[in-house]
Amino acid sequence: MNALARLGMVSDFPSENQTFAHDTVDQVAVPKDYFVERDGVKFAGTHLLIDLWGASNLDDPALIDVTLRNGALAAGATILHSHFHHFTPNGGVSGVVVLAESHISIHTWPERGFAAVDIFMCGECDPYKAIDFLRATFSPSDVQVGEQRRGLTT
């Protein structure tokens, strides 16, 4: 983790949001299946691609870290760690919050008032719950959200 710290901001504060469950069948622990089923479709998780336009506060790695972490927790995800890189003072930020359920990443262009956010969460997490945190912190004039269900089964 210290090697990453030289490259940017690294958080060592994992969350305790979920405990990894096992189902019990005939008193034998069976690993829980984290695939979900919605609308009759079984898949690994929901992947959101979010574009924030007319946004502010896009050059503050600490604020971005807190925002993405709060969104992850509200969505029901388990935070493993995070890493953010600030390109120059008043420059953009690229970073990721690594989750047990996958990740939230962000790339910002403060000079354009634009941020590209990627949220992928498997299992029962609801990545849509993180969007309110993005809106509150970055105050975008426009939010565009695309959804992809990953790992569709037949």
Side-chain angles (χ1 to χ4, degrees), residues 21-32:
H22 287 80
D23 293 327
T24 304
V25 177
D26 296 327
Q27 299 182 348
V28 175
V30 178
K32 184 175 177 179

Side-chain angles (χ1 to χ4, degrees), residues 57-59 64 87 91-94 106-111 114-116 138:
N57 299 318
L58 299 176
D59 60 351
I64 293 170
F87 286 97
V93 174
S94 288
I106 189 167
H107 305 280
T108 72
W109 289 262
E111 70 279 9
F114 175 71
F138 305 119

Side-chain angles (χ1 to χ4, degrees), residues 50 67 71 74 119 127-140:
I50 304 166
T67 300
I119 304 175
Y128 284 96
K129 291 184 177 178
I131 295 174
D132 287 341
F133 291 87
L134 302 175
R135 287 183 191 275
T137 297
F138 305 119
S139 304

Side-chain angles (χ1 to χ4, degrees), residues 64-115:
I64 293 170
D65 183 30
V66 168
T67 300
L68 299 188
R69 287 172 157 280
N70 287 338
L73 293 174
T78 308
I79 298 168
L80 300 177
H81 71 271
S82 61
H83 176 76
F84 293 86
H85 179 79
H86 192 201
F87 286 97
T88 60
N90 300 317
V93 174
S94 288
V96 64
V97 176
V98 179
L99 308 172
E101 299 80 8
S102 198
H103 69 274
I104 302 176
S105 66
I106 189 167
H107 305 280
T108 72
W109 289 262
E111 70 279 9
R112 294 193 177 257
F114 175 71

